[in-house]
Amino acid sequence: YFLKINNSTCFRYIELSNGLKALLISDLTQSESNREPVAKEEEDSGEEEDGDSESTNEDSNCVNKCSEGVKKNCRSEKQSAAALCISVGSFSDPADLPGLAHFLEHMVFMGSEKYPAENGFDAFLKKHGGSDNASTDCERTIFKFDVQRKYLREALDRWVQFFIGPLMIPDAVDREVEAVDSEYQMAQPLDSNRKEMLFGGLAKAGHPMSKFFWGNAQTLKNEPREKNIDTYERLREFWRRYYSAHYMTLAVQSKETLDNLEEWVRAICIKIPNNGQPRADFSDLQDPFDTPDFNKLYRVVPVRKIHALTISWALPPQDKHYRVKPLHYISWLIGHEGAGSVLSLLRKKCWALALFGGNSESGFDQNTTYSIFSVSITLSDEGFQNFFQVIHIVFQYLKMLQSVGPQQRIYEEIQKIEANEFHYQEQMEPIEFVANICENMQLFPKEDFLRGDQLMFEYNPEVISAPLTLLTPATANILLLSPEHDGRCPLNEKWFGTQYSVEGNPPPQRIWEKCGFVFRDPPVITHLNKFIYINLKLMFIIIIKLILKFYAVLVKILKKRIILVLFDLFVNILAHNLAEPAYDADVAQLEYMLFPGDHGLFIRLKGFNHKLPLLLNLIVDHLANFSTAPNVFSMYIEQLKKTYYIILIKPDRLGRDVRLQILEHHRWSVMQKYEAIMADLGVTDLMDFVNRFKAELFVEGLIQGNFTSYIVNVLRYIIMSPPAEPPVLFRVVELPQTHHLCKVQSLNKADANSEVTVYYQTGLKNLREHTLMELLVMHMEEPCFDFLRTKETLGYQVYPSCRNTSGVLGFSVTVETQATKFSTDFVEGKIEAFLVSFGEKMVNLSDEAFQTQVTALIKLKECEDTQLGEEVDRNWFEVVTQQYVFDRLNKEIEVLKNVTKDELVSFFMEHRHASSRKLSIHVCYLFDTERKTSSYGDVSELIFLPASPVLAKASRITDIRAFTSSLNLHPYHKILQ
């Protein structure tokens, strides 16, 4: 055994004669030993792409897992999983075929010599509760899948055939190019991708960083044909050259014995060919950014209306220093948010909302040719006006760090924090765990496969000082994003069309010296003293939901959309007020999240139980004593405008907003909130709202895990009993028995993507029919992908969904497509054609295929929770919707055990007639035939579009309020039995 943990999880490392290296993981843990509870990470609404938040009313996870109360009735079994990493990526793309590595990652899945069905592997996985995915990075490509344990060996054999004998037939090549092109077009409107492409373009000619990694129809189909390049043959050549066993590392995890796993891997994977050629090596290349073009100030027009500053340095490769992790030490100090930090000073000046400093330690940020260190700051409007002073502050902090040098005291505290996080970390889903491990196997010696990416092993001041001394103004690249640059940037990046301009940086010495020493010492590090936690094996999560006391009051408030804006402002500013005092708790692994939901404030905490009450008390105190300064209020008014704008310019988010505005009575749309925030609001308005909110407050909560009576006492401090049960659901309209179409124009001038969602409303149904809907959608997933994406190539994202909209059931099919290729009306016609073909398939479904899918869904519901957070999220949904069916999974399993094929087919056919309650939502990109005066569109009103003759029979919705005002409303409904 390579390693044994708790006498239940065993590891074995083997090397096959063809050069493939494998780590076998026998996970024999039972559910009782599986209780390290950590919830999923929450989305950061400040710096990430959309900034919106989750809904508790609709689209919850339908394929739930077992609650603790019914574990004894379930077979505690995890999914089995495997992942393979190949040490080749986009750096190896040939110069005349940009994106070939990414394209090959797509193509190997299109059938094999042994299993020639084009979509056969996906179909096999869907039948047995599995999934798969793949990704291409600069120097590595990763493939992964999971499946029920019983079918692991067969799945492994089918999967490995892609590396033994993929078909890659010419017809599939031509079609899959369109999927790659759709993926590229979906990536275009994301600022993170645009920054990366612009940054890569600064590399020296001939360096692989300057390549176009994504690939599209132009580089993989059109230009090759013009140049008589045989893309099909070049794909096979690339596969033969790089998809070689000696480049591969494999990780397999299952509740199988190690002997069984080894037998299977040796029997199947030994057939992967080894071409014997030396491994691709780019480490001898010089610094790609050692060029005059790098050390400049670049002004860039973003897609989102944000101000952002990124200061970057290209450093020598740091992967060999993984035991010291010098960039992690530096980034920990740069990214500190407590007293004495860069962000603390910028927040006090109201110049910044967020700061990230560091390196992701993979891919674009770190490879064998260089490592990038970046400081990225989300600026306020005032911060943008003073961005040079912001740069000065960052440089002065770096100058201070260089002056005092590395500090062993600080390093050892970070080391201790990382060690605690490693030893008491949450369990990962098997598919993610094996994907992480197989990549680690490419980077670290075998004794560090499990820990090399997480632990800091040894303090070495010389190793830390080497990159730290290079972080100077003279070697920095400065990237400034702002909508203020619109119309002022004459240059365009080749692939994503990003508008930018270039100017020389101010004299480096002025930046270095101008402000003197703003910082004289690193921040005082006291996390382990103030929020020290004891080494308990068990952790716990506490979730509290705060909502208004009376639903009648809530309805009254919701009639004033300005109140919802004030509520969003309140939560954002409360989080701002907490950021610095709660930061010590955050780095000591006590986490919290504040979230403005549809009906109230959500507070979520997780971490070790020893000091979590301190954090809870801190949050409650700030809530009870809430106040804000005028400059902070103004900063968040402007930021919230940007947040609403970011949501509205995304076709999928706009489509969801329109659909729910039609379906849910009294829901105010994001667009209406955007209009409301343009009103003249002041601090007095906010404080009046907050005082009313606190006066009408009651608490409903869920505590789960290793909690103590002290925590319950803390809760009693803030809980008030409601006089009556307040409904938390919206009332949902009953759609007419005909087809209605709401077709609106996309609000993003820079995004050529469109979206079509076709929704069928079922109505008020019970638990049995909800379970039938889950089963129906599960049957639909693979045929939907095969028909709409693989064969029709309509877009990269196509999927069916089970819809539970405030207790009203339905299902939908969504296609995210490109206006450059298809009209939304054409796409809807193809969705309808798919549903017709799917209906025929269901009628002819064999009893065996039906029962296989039923068994797969039962197994998913029986599958044990990897983290306590999964169980908490499931239970919390019951609490927040006030349904309280905590044994729902057990009830659904019992339904599945006696459901019949005829019942399922009849259930689907209810939707397939002229009187179906059908609603189509189209978000359409329209090409601007006139010269653009601005990159930004107006998001203050919906523009309704006419349908083509293809959909002439559909009734158009051109005024949502007028349409819904005449419709009946379903009563409040909960799916209880």
Side-chain angles (χ1 to χ4, degrees):
Y1 294 123
F2 169 62
L3 185 64
K4 179 178 282 190
I5 299 178
N6 294 333
N7 296 316
S8 56
T9 303
C10 304
F11 297 76
R12 181 181 293 173
Y13 174 73
I14 62 173
E15 295 185 13
L16 305 190
S17 58
N18 61 357
L20 181 141
K21 301 174 178 62
L23 186 64
L24 313 176
I25 307 165
S26 177
D27 181 8
L28 301 177
T29 52
Q30 300 301 313
S31 60
E32 290 78 14
S33 63
N34 223 3
R35 296 271 59 96
E36 293 94 343
V38 178
K40 298 175 182 176
E41 293 182 1
E42 302 296 341
E43 188 173 295
D44 179 359
S45 62
E47 179 64 17
E48 293 304 315
E49 291 297 343
D50 56 35
D52 193 24
S53 48
E54 59 188 292
S55 170
T56 58
N57 293 320
E58 199 209 34
D59 307 339
S60 63
N61 181 19
C62 289
V63 183
N64 293 308
K65 296 180 180 178
C66 301
S67 65
E68 185 67 19
V70 296
K71 283 290 185 189
K72 60 185 178 183
N73 296 319
C74 301
R75 290 176 57 192
S76 297
E77 181 177 308
K78 291 181 184 175
Q79 293 283 85
S80 295
L84 181 101
C85 182
I86 310 175
S87 61
V88 64
S90 298
F91 272 10
S92 299
D93 283 347
D96 56 351
L97 281 172
L100 191 66
H102 180 212
F103 187 30
L104 179 58
E105 170 228 301
H106 279 243
M107 281 306 306
V108 294
F109 278 100
M110 309 295 284
S112 64
E113 293 171 2
K114 184 174 180 180
Y115 302 101
E118 194 171 85
N119 218 43
F121 183 61
D122 280 339
F124 178 83
L125 292 180
K126 293 299 182 186
K127 286 180 183 177
H128 303 298
S131 64
D132 67 323
N133 211 334
S135 61
T136 304
D137 212 325
C138 294
E139 295 179 296
R140 286 177 291 281
T141 303
I142 296 177
F143 300 86
K144 59 188 179 182
F145 78 88
D146 65 0
V147 74
Q148 294 166 19
R149 171 191 172 187
K150 180 179 178 180
Y151 300 97
L152 173 62
R153 193 192 190 288
E154 184 177 353
L156 195 64
D157 184 54
R158 289 173 175 268
W159 184 63
V160 171
Q161 296 305 317
F162 298 139
F163 313 109
I164 296 174
L167 280 183
M168 294 194 290
I169 60 176
D171 178 58
V173 169
D174 286 342
R175 283 184 282 107
E176 197 60 21
V177 164
E178 299 303 322
V180 172
D181 189 70
S182 294
E183 189 176 358
Y184 154 72
Q185 292 201 37
M186 288 180 65
Q188 276 189 305
L190 300 181
D191 285 323
S192 57
N193 295 329
R194 289 173 166 242
K195 286 168 59 179
E196 196 169 277
M197 285 303 305
L198 180 60
F199 198 80
L202 304 181
K204 290 183 289 193
H207 191 280
M209 180 44 63
S210 63
K211 294 181 178 181
F212 173 50
F213 298 156
W214 291 87
N216 59 16
Q218 176 186 342
T219 67
L220 296 170
K221 183 170 69 175
N222 301 335
E223 289 183 0
R225 285 178 178 172
E226 293 171 3
K227 299 175 182 178
N228 293 318
I229 296 173
D230 188 341
T231 304
Y232 171 75
E233 184 51 43
R234 295 288 291 279
L235 267 172
R236 287 207 160 273
E237 178 186 327
F238 195 94
W239 176 83
R240 287 189 294 267
R241 169 69 180 86
Y242 292 111
Y243 278 42
S244 175
H246 72 304
Y247 292 165
M248 297 179 178
T249 50
L250 172 71
V252 184
Q253 177 176 338
S254 181
K255 286 191 173 181
E256 291 285 346
T257 66
L258 286 172
D259 288 341
N260 280 348
L261 293 177
E262 181 171 353
E263 178 188 348
W264 299 348
V265 168
R266 288 191 181 278
I268 297 170
C269 297
I270 194 63
K271 299 173 186 176
I272 299 176
N274 182 338
N275 61 31
Q277 298 187 44
R279 186 182 298 270
D281 186 5
F282 301 97
S283 59
D284 59 341
L285 294 177
Q286 296 180 350
D287 175 11
F289 300 108
D290 183 17
T291 161
D293 289 338
F294 185 75
N295 308 115
K296 296 282 196 300
L297 169 61
Y298 287 80
R299 297 178 186 264
V300 182
V301 180
V303 174
R304 304 177 297 161
K305 282 189 175 180
I306 60 164
H307 305 299
L309 172 69
T310 300
I311 309 170
S312 301
W313 292 264
L315 306 173
Q318 298 293 312
D319 52 338
K320 63 183 177 181
H321 300 305
Y322 80 90
R323 295 187 64 81
V324 179
K325 293 185 173 55
L327 297 189
H328 185 65
Y329 171 87
I330 300 169
S331 67
W332 203 89
L333 289 171
I334 288 285
H336 199 279
E337 299 183 19
S341 66
V342 173
L343 186 57
S344 175
L345 178 59
L346 295 176
R347 278 176 171 155
K348 286 180 171 64
K349 292 177 176 288
C350 286
W351 286 356
L353 297 105
L355 181 150
F356 167 80
N359 174 290
S360 66
E361 300 180 1
S362 65
F364 188 92
D365 268 8
Q366 182 162 296
N367 49 67
T368 56
T369 75
Y370 67 87
S371 291
I372 294 295
F373 187 89
S374 298
V375 179
S376 298
I377 304 172
T378 303
L379 300 173
S380 65
D381 288 0
E382 189 175 351
F384 170 71
Q385 299 301 325
N386 294 279
F387 81 92
F388 272 122
Q389 286 87 338
V390 174
I391 295 172
H392 292 160
I393 289 172
V394 173
F395 284 148
Q396 290 304 311
Y397 189 85
L398 289 170
K399 187 174 183 180
M400 177 273 295
L401 292 182
Q402 293 168 5
S403 175
V404 301
Q407 302 288 301
Q408 185 169 357
R409 167 185 64 85
I410 295 176
Y411 186 94
E412 289 177 350
E413 178 160 330
I414 302 171
Q415 185 182 44
K416 193 177 299 183
I417 289 171
E418 300 298 341
N420 274 301
E421 186 169 355
F422 174 77
H423 290 298
Y424 302 108
Q425 66 184 303
E426 61 182 306
Q427 290 196 33
M428 298 171 67
E429 290 290 343
I431 190 172
E432 301 304 328
F433 182 66
V434 292
N436 183 64
I437 293 300
C438 75
E439 184 172 18
N440 283 358
M441 293 171 71
Q442 300 271 352
L443 301 173
F444 311 119
K446 57 179 175 288
E447 62 269 19
D448 290 332
F449 285 168
L450 304 180
R451 60 184 185 174
D453 58 336
Q454 297 183 60
L455 294 183
M456 300 171 72
F457 296 88
E458 57 195 41
Y459 174 67
N460 188 321
E462 290 76 20
V463 170
I464 297 172
S465 293
L468 180 59
T469 57
L470 298 176
L471 304 180
T472 67
T475 56
N477 173 272
I478 298 175
L479 193 64
L480 183 65
L481 281 71
S482 173
E484 298 294 323
H485 298 155
D486 190 26
R488 303 176 185 176
C489 295
L491 304 177
N492 284 275
E493 190 275 323
K494 178 179 179 181
W495 297 110
F496 281 21
T498 307
Q499 300 172 46
Y500 70 99
S501 64
V502 189
E503 59 191 75
N505 279 336
Q509 197 62 27
R510 272 187 62 213
I511 294 180
W512 200 242
E513 295 177 350
K514 182 176 179 182
C515 292
F517 269 101
V518 175
F519 303 95
R520 302 195 179 276
D521 293 293
V524 178
I525 311 300
T526 60
H527 311 114
L528 293 185
N529 294 326
K530 186 174 181 180
F531 283 103
I532 192 168
Y533 42 78
I534 56 179
N535 289 340
L536 292 176
K537 179 64 177 174
L538 289 178
M539 303 162 68
F540 91 104
I541 299 170
I542 172 175
I543 304 176
I544 306 169
K545 176 199 169 195
L546 306 176
I547 63 176
L548 296 181
K549 187 173 181 180
F550 296 107
Y551 185 70
V553 174
L554 182 59
V555 171
K556 183 178 179 181
I557 289 178
L558 283 176
K559 289 180 179 177
K560 298 180 180 179
R561 54 190 169 183
I562 196 69
I563 297 297
L564 290 180
V565 172
L566 292 171
F567 183 44
D568 288 344
L569 278 170
F570 163 58
V571 178
N572 277 270
I573 295 174
L574 178 61
H576 170 87
N577 294 345
L578 278 164
E580 187 170 311
Y583 185 70
D584 284 351
D586 182 62
V587 296
Q589 301 169 42
L590 305 179
E591 302 176 25
Y592 70 97
M593 183 195 71
L594 308 177
F595 166 63
D598 291 327
H599 301 278
L601 170 64
F602 292 78
I603 304 175
R604 180 182 184 122
L605 295 90
K606 64 178 180 180
F608 294 97
N609 71 0
H610 185 55
K611 293 292 184 179
L612 202 59
L614 290 180
L615 179 58
L616 180 58
N617 272 327
L618 183 68
I619 294 172
V620 171
D621 286 344
H622 276 74
L623 193 158
N625 302 307
F626 177 86
S627 65
T628 185
N631 57 349
V632 173
F633 176 85
S634 299
M635 179 173 69
Y636 277 97
I637 280 280
E638 295 305 316
Q639 184 61 22
L640 201 53
K641 290 177 185 177
K642 297 181 178 72
T643 299
Y644 293 154
Y645 178 88
I646 290 168
I647 295 169
L648 291 169
I649 64 172
K650 286 175 166 280
D652 59 330
R653 304 308 298 271
L654 179 61
R656 179 182 185 275
D657 201 41
V658 170
R659 176 169 53 83
L660 292 183
Q661 191 181 357
I662 291 172
L663 294 176
E664 294 187 331
H665 189 56
H666 278 312
R667 172 181 282 275
W668 290 109
S669 69
V670 177
M671 181 174 288
Q672 290 166 321
K673 292 202 288 185
Y674 182 82
E675 294 172 358
I677 201 173
M678 297 302 176
D680 186 18
L681 298 174
V683 175
T684 302
D685 299 305
L686 177 62
M687 293 309 300
D688 287 346
F689 163 76
V690 172
N691 290 332
R692 183 178 175 188
F693 175 81
K694 290 189 294 184
E696 298 168 341
L697 178 69
F698 85 90
V699 176
E700 188 170 11
L702 170 68
I703 310 172
Q704 197 163 334
N706 186 27
F707 61 89
T708 66
S709 59
Y710 176 52
I711 292 169
V712 177
N713 290 333
V714 172
L715 291 177
R716 290 195 184 111
Y717 169 66
I718 57 172
I719 290 177
M720 296 169 59
S721 298
E725 178 185 347
V728 296
L729 305 176
F730 288 99
R731 293 190 68 182
V732 178
V733 301
E734 183 180 38
L735 290 175
Q737 291 182 290
T738 185
H739 179 198
H740 278 80
L741 167 67
C742 187
K743 188 174 182 180
V744 300
Q745 183 173 325
S746 174
L747 303 177
N748 189 346
K749 290 185 178 182
D751 187 352
N753 294 291
S754 299
E755 185 192 72
V756 178
T757 294
V758 178
Y759 166 78
Y760 288 89
Q761 187 181 73
T762 303
L764 302 179
K765 297 296 181 180
N766 56 28
L767 187 141
R768 183 177 186 85
E769 287 164 315
H770 184 268
T771 306
L772 279 172
M773 187 68 78
E774 290 184 75
L775 182 61
L776 177 66
V777 170
M778 195 173 186
H779 272 280
M780 199 181 290
E781 286 175 347
E782 188 279 326
C784 178
F785 184 92
D786 184 54
F787 189 102
L788 297 175
R789 175 178 155 173
T790 303
K791 291 186 171 61
E792 296 292 341
T793 66
L794 296 179
Y796 183 71
Q797 292 281 2
V798 302
Y799 53 91
S801 299
C802 174
R803 302 288 185 185
N804 174 7
T805 309
S806 291
V808 176
L809 286 182
F811 78 89
S812 66
V813 177
T814 298
V815 174
E816 297 180 20
T817 190
Q818 286 73 48
T820 53
K821 301 176 182 178
F822 306 106
S823 72
T824 57
D825 293 10
F826 175 82
V827 170
E828 170 146 350
K830 291 297 182 180
I831 292 175
E832 184 62 25
F834 157 69
L835 291 172
V836 170
S837 71
F838 177 72
E840 295 170 353
K841 180 176 181 178
M842 291 298 292
V843 169
N844 298 314
L845 188 69
S846 69
D847 292 337
E848 181 183 4
F850 169 77
Q851 195 55 51
T852 297
Q853 203 75 69
V854 169
T855 302
L857 185 53
I858 289 175
K859 288 291 185 181
L860 282 177
K861 292 178 180 293
E862 289 179 343
C863 197
E864 70 178 31
D865 294 312
T866 307
Q867 312 159 14
L868 180 62
E870 295 176 358
E871 187 179 328
V872 168
D873 288 343
R874 185 172 58 253
N875 290 338
W876 182 235
F877 179 76
E878 297 295 333
V879 173
V880 80
T881 57
Q882 296 177 345
Q883 298 180 108
Y884 310 113
V885 185
F886 294 108
D887 62 342
R888 184 179 299 275
L889 281 171
N890 204 32
K891 293 178 182 295
E892 291 173 342
I893 290 170
E894 291 305 311
V895 168
L896 288 168
K897 288 178 179 178
N898 59 45
V899 72
T900 67
K901 182 185 74 172
D902 290 343
E903 183 181 11
L904 183 66
V905 172
S906 298
F907 184 70
F908 174 70
M909 290 305 177
E910 289 179 17
H911 304 289
R912 307 300 302 145
H913 48 74
S915 59
S916 296
R917 303 181 192 276
K918 178 180 176 182
L919 173 65
S920 300
I921 305 293
H922 294 199
V923 179
C924 314
Y925 174 83
L926 295 184
F927 293 98
D928 190 353
T929 56
E930 301 179 0
R931 186 177 182 273
K932 290 182 180 179
T933 57
S934 171
S935 300
Y936 303 101
D938 180 16
V939 297
S940 61
E941 65 175 344
L942 288 175
I943 300 174
F944 295 91
L945 303 174
S948 69
V950 176
L951 297 179
K953 293 182 179 179
S955 300
R956 288 178 59 216
I957 300 174
T958 57
D959 184 327
I960 293 176
R961 289 302 183 199
F963 170 68
T964 59
S965 63
S966 62
L967 300 181
N968 295 327
L969 294 177
H970 285 294
Y972 293 114
H973 180 67
K974 299 173 184 178
I975 302 173
L976 304 179
Q977 59 186 3

